[in-house]
Amino acid sequence: MNPGTVLAAAAHHPGFLSPTGVEITFVLVGLATLGAALLTVTTKQLVHAALWLVVALGGLAVEYLLLTAEFIAWVQVLIYVGSVVVLLLFGLMLTKAPIGRSPDADSGNRWVAVGVAGAAAVTLVWVVVDAFRSTWINLHGAVQGTSHATGTSLFRHWVLPFEALSVLLLAALVGAIVLSRRTDGGKETE
Amino acid sequence: MHLAYPAVLAALLFCVGVYGVLARRNAILVLMSVELMLNAVNLNLVAFDVWLRDTLHAGQALTLFTITIAAAEIGLGLAIVLLVYRNRGSSDIDRLTALADPAGPRGDGTGRPGAGEDPDGPGTTAGDEKAEATA
């Protein structure tokens, strides 16, 4: 964007006091997402943390839909809500996580973590608001994230990283199997 | 839509993830916080892709790649956590101090194997021996 269009955009900048319907929805869903994320990292019950994570990730999928990225939203629902959280719940059960409240869910350096996260939040929000105060996303016009557009660009311009990622997924699969296999066969080599 | 809304939401989600990584004790809860941080980055990528109207769709392609890498990471991370739990009987990350320098006069850093495990008492040494036997 050249400076002329930036100035023109700032001149009739819509302002924060007259939000559109999409913005109101975005902020409300964002508040729910943020609250669910906070509960994920603060709740004392480990299984509830995984369930609040479902709410946070589902809220993010709604945010993707509001940003017109349809394909990413459904991929988010399928992979994160569908498989990652299920994997996390399996992990919690396999490590015999306590079902009720566990008082030692937080470690001793909790207040240091609060300080670091608070300082990072203040700095990041200040910088981001200062930088993008008058930037406007035009959500009208051609939808940016249909599955047609995403698939076309993915298989036209991003084929090589796509194939490399499939090899990485295969390596991760083999690695997870090797790591989690019971090592009974190792007794012959000892 | 103002770009500030998704950017601020992504920054706050990232900081919530940072808090979780630093403050949680269970390794699986730490993995959940890492997922929150990765999702904050994804939201930034999608928002900037929609703002810039990128003809290559770089933001959305990179978001898909991040989701894939996060799935691989969670699989490997859970396998490692299960292995640690099977060997040590605990998945609390601040109890896994077998590689730490011992706090005491013996911590001279000579690098001799087993030099730092003596002051820890018999319980830890038995756990270490079991871990070495299964390794």
Side-chain angles (χ1 to χ4, degrees), chain B residues 104-121:
Chain B
R106 295 290 302 276
D108 48 1
T110 54
R112 190 163 59 87
E117 295 165 3
D118 296 333
D120 290 339

mmCIF file of all heavy atoms in Angstrom, chain B residues 104-121:
data_model
loop_
_atom_site.group_PDB
_atom_site.id
_atom_site.type_symbol
_atom_site.label_atom_id
_atom_site.label_comp_id
_atom_site.label_asym_id
_atom_site.label_seq_id
_atom_site.Cartn_x
_atom_site.Cartn_y
_atom_site.Cartn_z
ATOM 1 N N GLY B 104 24.699 -28.118 45.343
ATOM 2 C CA GLY B 104 25.528 -28.531 46.460
ATOM 3 C C GLY B 104 26.990 -28.489 46.072
ATOM 4 O O GLY B 104 27.331 -28.080 44.960
ATOM 5 N N PRO B 105 27.851 -28.888 46.953
ATOM 6 C CA PRO B 105 29.284 -28.806 46.659
ATOM 7 C C PRO B 105 29.731 -29.817 45.621
ATOM 8 O O PRO B 105 30.805 -29.672 45.050
ATOM 9 C CB PRO B 105 29.936 -29.092 48.021
ATOM 10 C CG PRO B 105 28.903 -29.844 48.788
ATOM 11 C CD PRO B 105 27.598 -29.315 48.331
ATOM 12 N N ARG B 106 28.869 -30.845 45.346
ATOM 13 C CA ARG B 106 29.280 -31.841 44.364
ATOM 14 C C ARG B 106 29.094 -31.353 42.945
ATOM 15 O O ARG B 106 29.531 -32.001 42.009
ATOM 16 C CB ARG B 106 28.477 -33.116 44.558
ATOM 17 C CG ARG B 106 28.722 -33.795 45.860
ATOM 18 C CD ARG B 106 30.126 -34.400 45.897
ATOM 19 N NE ARG B 106 30.337 -35.347 44.819
ATOM 20 C CZ ARG B 106 29.968 -36.614 44.873
ATOM 21 N NH1 ARG B 106 29.371 -37.061 45.939
ATOM 22 N NH2 ARG B 106 30.209 -37.425 43.878
ATOM 23 N N GLY B 107 28.413 -30.244 42.760
ATOM 24 C CA GLY B 107 28.123 -29.775 41.416
ATOM 25 C C GLY B 107 29.327 -29.105 40.777
ATOM 26 O O GLY B 107 29.312 -27.928 40.476
ATOM 27 N N ASP B 108 30.404 -29.866 40.551
ATOM 28 C CA ASP B 108 31.608 -29.271 39.990
ATOM 29 C C ASP B 108 31.646 -29.366 38.477
ATOM 30 O O ASP B 108 32.569 -28.846 37.855
ATOM 31 C CB ASP B 108 32.845 -29.937 40.587
ATOM 32 C CG ASP B 108 32.711 -31.449 40.556
ATOM 33 O OD1 ASP B 108 31.668 -31.950 40.059
ATOM 34 O OD2 ASP B 108 33.633 -32.125 41.010
ATOM 35 N N GLY B 109 30.628 -30.038 37.883
ATOM 36 C CA GLY B 109 30.562 -30.067 36.437
ATOM 37 C C GLY B 109 31.669 -30.864 35.788
ATOM 38 O O GLY B 109 32.206 -30.489 34.759
ATOM 39 N N THR B 110 32.047 -32.001 36.401
ATOM 40 C CA THR B 110 33.117 -32.777 35.802
ATOM 41 C C THR B 110 32.641 -33.578 34.617
ATOM 42 O O THR B 110 33.459 -34.000 33.808
ATOM 43 C CB THR B 110 33.690 -33.747 36.838
ATOM 44 O OG1 THR B 110 32.600 -34.513 37.369
ATOM 45 C CG2 THR B 110 34.356 -33.002 37.963
ATOM 46 N N GLY B 111 31.336 -33.769 34.528
ATOM 47 C CA GLY B 111 30.819 -34.493 33.396
ATOM 48 C C GLY B 111 30.905 -36.003 33.563
ATOM 49 O O GLY B 111 30.561 -36.736 32.657
ATOM 50 N N ARG B 112 31.346 -36.490 34.717
ATOM 51 C CA ARG B 112 31.398 -37.934 34.925
ATOM 52 C C ARG B 112 29.973 -38.454 35.063
ATOM 53 O O ARG B 112 29.184 -37.874 35.814
ATOM 54 C CB ARG B 112 32.192 -38.229 36.196
ATOM 55 C CG ARG B 112 32.525 -39.694 36.383
ATOM 56 C CD ARG B 112 33.633 -39.830 37.405
ATOM 57 N NE ARG B 112 33.257 -39.249 38.696
ATOM 58 C CZ ARG B 112 32.606 -39.927 39.636
ATOM 59 N NH1 ARG B 112 32.248 -41.156 39.413
ATOM 60 N NH2 ARG B 112 32.318 -39.357 40.786
ATOM 61 N N PRO B 113 29.596 -39.520 34.373
ATOM 62 C CA PRO B 113 28.224 -40.006 34.474
ATOM 63 C C PRO B 113 27.915 -40.522 35.864
ATOM 64 O O PRO B 113 28.698 -41.270 36.451
ATOM 65 C CB PRO B 113 28.177 -41.147 33.445
ATOM 66 C CG PRO B 113 29.340 -40.933 32.571
ATOM 67 C CD PRO B 113 30.383 -40.254 33.396
ATOM 68 N N GLY B 114 26.798 -40.097 36.406
ATOM 69 C CA GLY B 114 26.398 -40.535 37.728
ATOM 70 C C GLY B 114 26.985 -39.718 38.837
ATOM 71 O O GLY B 114 26.703 -39.961 40.004
ATOM 72 N N ALA B 115 27.801 -38.712 38.511
ATOM 73 C CA ALA B 115 28.429 -37.940 39.578
ATOM 74 C C ALA B 115 27.400 -37.073 40.303
ATOM 75 O O ALA B 115 27.515 -36.849 41.502
ATOM 76 C CB ALA B 115 29.534 -37.059 39.011
ATOM 77 N N GLY B 116 26.412 -36.616 39.589
ATOM 78 C CA GLY B 116 25.479 -35.700 40.216
ATOM 79 C C GLY B 116 24.281 -36.377 40.842
ATOM 80 O O GLY B 116 23.425 -35.710 41.385
ATOM 81 N N GLU B 117 24.182 -37.685 40.767
ATOM 82 C CA GLU B 117 22.972 -38.337 41.238
ATOM 83 C C GLU B 117 23.085 -38.826 42.668
ATOM 84 O O GLU B 117 22.116 -39.298 43.235
ATOM 85 C CB GLU B 117 22.632 -39.521 40.318
ATOM 86 C CG GLU B 117 22.281 -39.066 38.924
ATOM 87 C CD GLU B 117 22.315 -40.214 37.946
ATOM 88 O OE1 GLU B 117 22.548 -41.340 38.388
ATOM 89 O OE2 GLU B 117 22.113 -39.952 36.760
ATOM 90 N N ASP B 118 24.255 -38.750 43.258
ATOM 91 C CA ASP B 118 24.423 -39.300 44.602
ATOM 92 C C ASP B 118 23.669 -38.526 45.669
ATOM 93 O O ASP B 118 23.046 -39.146 46.534
ATOM 94 C CB ASP B 118 25.925 -39.347 44.951
ATOM 95 C CG ASP B 118 26.664 -40.285 44.030
ATOM 96 O OD1 ASP B 118 26.010 -41.223 43.518
ATOM 97 O OD2 ASP B 118 27.855 -40.075 43.780
ATOM 98 N N PRO B 119 23.655 -37.193 45.681
ATOM 99 C CA PRO B 119 22.996 -36.518 46.815
ATOM 100 C C PRO B 119 21.480 -36.596 46.757
ATOM 101 O O PRO B 119 20.826 -36.116 47.662
ATOM 102 C CB PRO B 119 23.457 -35.061 46.687
ATOM 103 C CG PRO B 119 24.526 -35.059 45.680
ATOM 104 C CD PRO B 119 24.277 -36.207 44.810
ATOM 105 N N ASP B 120 20.928 -37.158 45.735
ATOM 106 C CA ASP B 120 19.475 -37.087 45.579
ATOM 107 C C ASP B 120 18.737 -38.128 46.391
ATOM 108 O O ASP B 120 17.525 -38.086 46.454
ATOM 109 C CB ASP B 120 19.114 -37.265 44.105
ATOM 110 C CG ASP B 120 19.523 -36.072 43.306
ATOM 111 O OD1 ASP B 120 19.700 -34.994 43.908
ATOM 112 O OD2 ASP B 120 19.682 -36.200 42.102
ATOM 113 N N GLY B 121 19.429 -39.071 46.974
ATOM 114 C CA GLY B 121 18.750 -40.083 47.775
ATOM 115 C C GLY B 121 18.468 -41.319 46.946
ATOM 116 O O GLY B 121 18.588 -41.312 45.718
#
